Amino acid sequence: MAYYHRLGNIPPKRHTQFRQPDGSLYKEELVSSKGFSGIYSNLYHIHNPNNVQKIGKPTPYDWKIAKEHGLNQTHLKTAGVSTTGKDYLSARKMLMMNNDVMMGICSPEQRKMDYFFKNADGDELLYIHDGEGVMYSQFGKLEVRQGDYIVIPRTTIYRFEFKEEGPIRLLVIESKGPIETVKRYRNEVGQLLEHSPYCERDIRPPHEMYTESEKGEYLVQIKKQGMLHPYTYGHSPLDIVGWDGYLYPYALSIHDFEPITGRIHQPPPVHQTFQAWGFVICSFVPRLFDYHPLAIPAPYNHSNIDSDEILYYAEGEFMSRKGIDRGSFTLHMGGLPHGPHPGTVEKSIGAKATEELAVMLDTFKPMFVTTQGLEFVDPNYPMSWTE
């Protein structure tokens, strides 16, 4: 994150006495990255954050690469999926992965989590394709709605409550490294520049403290090294009265991303929204097409020599593709050229604008379909460029 935020009650100086109404000390917790040299926040607990009551047996929670899939341009047909599991964790299905990042879907039947989740393996980015609700974490309440990106730093303890009406469909990205704003859009002190496609005003941190002071049994499912570790604490992890710092979850709506356009077709980096180790995330949003008198709005053919490209189609019609539905994924692998489907180039000429929404993930190492992803593979897609 690029700016300081605070919520609730905190002492005037860190690492000093801060007392509760009964005279006892609040328990300070530093949540820091890169040891003590990265961004961090200081949290103030009513209870001891180490108050573990019970540790359950760990269970596997990981995904495997489907090596038999081979080198194929890939379409994953997930548009027709209504639910992917009973609860938030069982519904998370990672469909593609490499050593830097995993990507998949989550459509739980249950709308309210009866446990908390902490990902100690990686940072997360969720795209709310369908649904509306509240994310509760140590950092407070964060209202989420359709079109939101939710950036969740690793070890954030959280749970979701979604509203009862309508479907829930989440795009889930898990990263080995931190997910950050784009470096070339920041100045030397971290502020987003004037020509950035979004600014700090568009970023929504938690807006209200939500403090649970009662004692009891509270389950936190902790993901670490591909296992789920059930930890039961003697109080809620939301026993925070205040915090401040630079490390916290936040939301950014894809609808607040302002597109960069030009006289001729602009390459995908102009759509970049986030960066991380080994990949970038881009947002394709409604925008005017190119305005050169001989412009071709459809993208040109492209041969990835050192990256893989994944597109998640959210809304509208992607004019360079045929047979792609809302909620589809395409994976175009390095080593193979990809481009518009036959007939779409000529059809695009003269078009003035697009209403499409899509999330793109470009990786700098090969991306692989998982064994769970195989069930959604469209076998006809690799040959779909045949005239």
Side-chain angles (χ1 to χ4, degrees), residues 146-370:
Q146 187 179 43
D148 278 350
Y149 290 112
I150 315 299
V151 178
I152 308 174
R154 74 191 60 211
T155 78
T156 300
I157 302 172
Y158 69 90
R159 61 179 170 84
F160 278 107
E161 290 186 13
F162 289 100
K163 291 187 176 180
E164 287 300 323
E165 65 277 2
I168 302 171
R169 186 180 180 91
L170 312 177
L171 174 67
V172 181
I173 296 173
E174 181 179 318
S175 170
K176 291 292 184 183
I179 296 172
E180 304 171 331
T181 55
V182 182
K183 185 177 180 180
R184 70 176 180 277
Y185 290 136
R186 301 194 301 255
N187 62 24
E188 67 275 10
V189 296
Q191 183 182 16
L192 289 164
L193 294 165
E194 270 292 297
H195 62 277
S196 170
Y198 61 91
C199 73
E200 288 82 2
R201 196 178 300 182
D202 300 314
I203 292 169
R204 307 195 322 268
H207 61 91
E208 178 185 338
M209 287 306 303
Y210 183 81
T211 306
E212 295 180 339
S213 59
E214 300 81 7
K215 291 187 176 180
E217 291 192 348
Y218 292 83
L219 175 63
V220 180
Q221 293 279 13
I222 303 174
K223 181 179 180 291
K224 183 69 172 178
Q225 295 178 331
M227 304 287 284
L228 275 182
H229 304 265
Y231 268 61
T232 301
Y233 289 84
H235 60 83
S236 170
L238 308 188
D239 68 331
I240 311 295
V241 297
W243 65 273
D244 76 330
Y246 283 68
L247 188 147
Y248 49 86
Y250 64 90
L252 170 69
S253 175
I254 196 171
H255 303 297
D256 287 328
F257 184 89
E258 300 300 332
I260 298 170
T261 60
R263 270 170 50 91
I264 60 174
H265 190 84
Q266 298 297 294
V270 303
H271 307 290
Q272 188 179 348
T273 314
F274 301 102
Q275 66 181 35
W277 298 348
F279 67 94
V280 299
I281 296 166
C282 301
S283 302
F284 289 88
V285 301
R287 62 195 183 278
L288 296 177
F289 278 139
D290 328 310
Y291 49 90
H292 186 284
L294 297 178
I296 301 175
Y300 37 79
N301 292 299
H302 177 219
S303 188
N304 312 17
I305 66 169
D306 54 8
S307 68
D308 284 8
E309 174 194 282
I310 301 167
L311 268 170
Y312 179 75
Y313 301 83
E315 310 292 346
E317 181 180 352
F318 222 73
M319 50 89 169
S320 62
R321 288 283 173 271
K322 296 178 179 179
I324 300 296
D325 298 315
R326 182 183 190 270
S328 285
F329 292 84
T330 56
L331 166 60
H332 297 135
M333 296 180 170
L336 295 174
H338 66 277
H341 274 140
T344 60
V345 174
E346 285 285 354
K347 184 180 178 181
S348 76
I349 294 174
K352 300 300 183 184
T354 177
E355 295 300 317
E356 71 196 15
L357 281 176
V359 178
M360 186 174 81
L361 184 147
D362 264 9
T363 65
F364 307 128
K365 295 177 184 174
M367 197 71 162
F368 301 96
V369 175
T370 66

Side-chain angles (χ1 to χ4, degrees), residues 14-65:
R14 60 186 176 180
H15 316 324
T16 60
Q17 295 180 33
F18 181 34
R19 295 194 179 274
Q20 304 189 39
D22 64 3
S24 63
L25 287 169
Y26 286 108
K27 284 69 176 176
E28 183 181 15
E29 178 189 11
L30 171 70
V31 182
S32 67
S33 61
K34 299 179 183 177
F36 291 87
S37 60
I39 59 172
Y40 62 90
S41 289
N42 285 91
L43 289 66
Y44 295 89
H45 294 260
I46 296 171
H47 307 292
N48 189 332
N50 303 308
N51 183 17
V52 179
Q53 302 292 301
K54 182 171 58 178
I55 302 174
K57 184 179 179 181
T59 56
Y61 194 67
D62 59 357
W63 291 267
K64 306 296 183 186
I65 291 171

